[in-house]
């Protein structure tokens, strides 16, 4: 089980194995086999490294922002709650992951749902969430494995299949689909964008005065977005709070930096991280899509790979930034409202706001232009706050204090299973 957990926690290894098998089944030359396997591995590792850079900057910003405005509450973090409970339910979750993968492949082979979900680290998070829910309902380990495996295996095939109606408009083909932990948010945002938006006003065609023409460059726009957020946070933060954030980035070298350099460097670092992640996406998709055809030919003829949502970020960079800012703003509003309606404060998960908020806006833009992007990312921000607050009691038995699961595709199934199966208890 430890080997399986280690494997799925390293998505780049899964991708490399799929690419290797795909090329092997295609009887590719040795040179092509080596090239395709390692470029897929390098591309996905670039995404991971870029994501790590983003995470480091966003973690420092999150700490700075929370302390500056005295925000205390529950932190939605899939990684944190998994790390805190891996000894307790990790073995069960690993079994669920294994059987879910088998069910996904069988469904892709024998049904019209031809998507094979490759973001297996997200499936592992879902396995942890559902294991916790079923355990607190009193189900045995065997029952938990059976129920959760069937549920997740069906989800892995069904969710990207339904989202495909909208993702193919963005991708421009059916060569691959999207697997992510907020597919429910993207589907809802796509429909709401269609109903309330207007595709004639695309976020990528926004009219910008010549004086602000520099905003058309995605890397500059990204840098300026983070710069503004850091400046606002530093204005309201105390000197010790700023130093704490700087230590998170520079370590012992923080004493040699001033605040202005910190803001400028971290803004640029954030832009670099996103650029690196998007470059990795390009390298990864160029190799995994053709290689996957060989994998599918053997295991599930006609199947397509469902890959991480970050592959869409270079399709609509303006929408990505709009979605991040709108989702983050909605989460801040929820902080003010929740105490008055009896809900626990959910501290904004900045990385989740950036990825799911940006992706939601891309889908909303595809169906409803600028207005659709706003509506979709607004809904996403609500889901990122309301759902973790509602599901918090479901994970109380795990003993992980101050953290909970973050994404809609973990929290919505948790609520559904708790309600439905709770009727029989």
């Amino acid at each position: 089980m430890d080997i399986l957990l280690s494997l799925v926690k390293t998505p780049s290894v899964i991708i490399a194995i799929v690419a290797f098998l795909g090329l092997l089944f295609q009887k590719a030359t040795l040179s092509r086999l080596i090239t395709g396997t390692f470029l897929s591995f390098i591309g996905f590792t670039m995404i991971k490294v870029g994501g790590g850079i983003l995470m480091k900057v966003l973690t420092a910003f999150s700490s700075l922002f929370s302390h500056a405005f005295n925000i205390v509450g529950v932190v939605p973090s899939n990684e944190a709650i998994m790390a805190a409970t891996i000894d307790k339910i990790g073995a069960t979750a690993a079994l669920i992951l294994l059987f879910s993968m088998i069910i996904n492949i069988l469904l892709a082979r024998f049904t019209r749902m031809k998507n094979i979900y490759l973001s297996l680290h997200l499936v592992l998070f879902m396995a942890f969430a559902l294991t916790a829910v079923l355990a607190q309902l009193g189900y045995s380990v065997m029952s938990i494995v059976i129920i959760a495996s069937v549920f997740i295996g069906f989800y892995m095939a069904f969710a990207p299949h339904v989202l495909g109606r909208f993702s193919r408009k963005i991708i421009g083909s059916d060569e691959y689909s999207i697997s992510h932990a907020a597919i429910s948010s993207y589907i809802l945002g796509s429909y709401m964008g269609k109903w309330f938006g207007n595709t004639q006003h695309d976020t990528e065609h926004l009219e910008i005065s010549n004086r602000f023409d520099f905003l058309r460059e995605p890397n500059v726009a990204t840098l300026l977005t983070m710069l503004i957020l850091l400046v606002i946070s530093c204005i309201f933060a105390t000197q010790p709070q700023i130093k704490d954030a700087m230590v998170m980035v520079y370590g012992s070298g923080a004493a040699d930096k001033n605040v202005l350099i910190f803001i400028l460097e971290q803004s640029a670092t954030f832009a670099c991280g996103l650029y690196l992640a998007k470059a990795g996406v390009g390298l990864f998709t160029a190799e995994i899509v053709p290689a996957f055809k060989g994998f599918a030919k053997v295991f599930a003829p006609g199947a397509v790979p469902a890959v991480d949502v970050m592959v869409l970020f270079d399709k609509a960079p303006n929408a990505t930034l709009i979605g991040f800012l709108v989702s983050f703003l909605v989460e801040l509003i929820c902080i003010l409202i929740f105490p008055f309606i009896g809900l626990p404060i959910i501290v904004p998960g900045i990385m989740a706001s950036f990825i799911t908020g940006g992706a939601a806006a891309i889908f909303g833009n595809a169906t409803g232009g600028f207005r659709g992007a706003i509506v979709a990312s607004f809904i996403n921000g609500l889901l990122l706050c309301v759902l973790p607050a509602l599901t918090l009691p479901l994970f109380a038995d795990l003993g992980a204090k101050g953290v909970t699961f973050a994404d809609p595709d973990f929290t919505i199934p948790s609520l559904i299973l708790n309600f439905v199966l709770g009727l029989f208890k």
Side-chain angles (χ1 to χ4, degrees):
M1 289 306 162
D2 290 339
I3 295 175
L4 181 59
L5 283 171
S6 298
L7 186 64
V8 298
K9 285 192 291 184
T10 312
S12 52
V13 175
I14 295 291
I15 295 299
I17 291 173
V18 171
F20 175 81
L21 292 175
L23 292 168
L24 189 66
F25 295 144
Q26 290 180 21
K27 298 180 179 179
T29 64
L30 179 61
S31 177
R32 177 72 186 110
L33 187 67
I34 294 172
T35 301
T37 300
F38 282 107
L39 284 181
S40 298
F41 183 71
I42 292 170
F44 207 91
T45 301
M46 286 173 66
I47 300 174
K48 181 180 178 181
V49 172
I53 294 172
L54 293 172
M55 177 67 80
K56 188 174 183 180
V57 177
L58 289 172
T59 299
F61 164 66
S62 180
S63 173
L64 182 61
F65 187 88
S66 298
H67 287 103
F69 295 97
N70 196 30
I71 299 173
V72 179
V74 178
V75 178
S77 172
N78 304 314
E79 291 82 4
I81 195 168
M82 188 181 82
T85 59
I86 195 167
D87 293 333
K88 192 172 185 179
I89 59 176
T92 304
L95 283 174
I96 293 169
L97 173 68
L98 175 62
F99 291 118
S100 297
M101 290 166 57
I102 295 171
I103 292 170
N104 181 197
I105 293 173
L106 290 175
L107 288 171
R109 182 177 181 89
F110 296 110
T111 73
R112 294 174 57 193
M113 298 182 291
K114 296 297 183 181
N115 302 277
I116 294 182
Y117 199 108
L118 294 183
S119 299
L120 297 181
H121 58 300
L122 300 178
V123 177
L124 183 61
F125 294 146
M126 181 180 281
F128 269 79
L130 297 194
T131 297
V133 171
L134 295 171
Q136 61 94 20
L137 287 173
Y139 284 87
S140 66
V141 171
M142 182 176 292
S143 298
I144 291 173
V145 171
I146 293 172
I147 295 170
S149 297
V150 172
F151 187 99
I152 296 176
F154 184 81
Y155 160 84
M156 291 167 72
F158 180 72
H161 175 73
V162 175
L163 185 64
R165 176 182 177 184
F166 304 107
S167 63
R168 71 173 60 98
K169 292 181 180 180
I170 303 168
I171 297 166
S173 71
D174 288 317
E175 283 192 318
Y176 61 91
S177 56
I178 300 301
S179 59
H180 199 242
I183 288 179
S184 52
S185 174
Y186 307 150
I187 293 172
L188 181 58
S190 296
Y191 277 112
M192 297 300 286
K194 181 179 180 181
W195 292 336
F196 295 103
N198 185 343
T199 54
Q200 293 182 354
H201 301 108
D202 194 290
T203 58
E204 308 313 299
H205 301 149
L206 291 175
E207 293 185 8
I208 301 176
S209 169
N210 291 336
R211 289 179 297 176
F212 302 101
D213 204 44
F214 57 87
L215 293 175
R216 297 184 187 276
E217 166 53 52
N219 296 312
V220 174
T222 300
L223 182 149
L224 289 175
T225 299
M226 183 50 61
L227 187 146
I228 291 169
L229 292 173
L230 284 170
V231 166
I232 292 172
S233 299
C234 287
I235 288 173
F236 290 94
T238 64
Q239 197 62 31
Q241 290 168 347
I242 295 173
K243 284 297 181 183
D244 287 343
M246 292 171 67
V247 168
M248 296 177 76
V249 175
Y250 300 116
S252 58
D256 300 326
K257 301 285 184 178
N258 62 46
V259 177
L260 180 59
I261 296 299
F262 166 69
I263 292 172
L264 291 173
E265 282 192 344
Q266 294 316 299
S267 300
T269 300
F270 184 78
C272 290
L274 185 57
Y275 179 84
L276 182 61
K278 290 194 291 187
V281 163
L283 184 62
F284 153 69
T285 52
E287 295 298 329
I288 193 61
V289 171
F292 185 84
K293 292 178 180 178
F295 178 88
K297 185 177 180 180
V298 173
F299 293 102
V304 296
V307 298
D308 193 270
V309 76
M310 284 191 72
V311 300
L312 302 181
F313 278 22
D314 62 340
K315 308 286 186 184
N318 289 347
T320 302
L321 289 179
I322 290 169
F324 168 44
L325 293 174
V326 172
S327 285
F328 183 55
L329 179 61
V330 170
E331 292 173 67
L332 294 181
I333 294 172
C334 287
I335 289 174
L336 301 176
I337 296 174
F338 278 15
F340 296 101
I341 59 177
L343 290 176
I345 291 177
I346 302 297
V347 178
I350 308 298
M351 195 66 179
S353 300
F354 180 72
I355 295 178
T356 65
I362 292 172
F363 279 98
N365 177 63
T367 59
F370 178 79
R371 196 187 309 154
I374 297 293
V375 171
S377 50
F378 180 89
I379 292 170
N380 183 77
L382 280 179
L383 294 179
L384 288 179
C385 280
V386 174
L387 293 174
L390 294 177
T391 54
L392 190 61
L394 304 184
F395 308 123
D397 291 347
L398 290 177
K401 302 296 183 182
V403 296
T404 188
F405 291 99
D407 300 281
D409 288 5
F410 307 148
T411 48
I412 291 176
S414 296
L415 287 170
I416 292 173
L417 283 181
N418 182 69
F419 175 77
V420 174
L421 297 180
L423 296 176
F424 300 98
K425 285 294 180 177

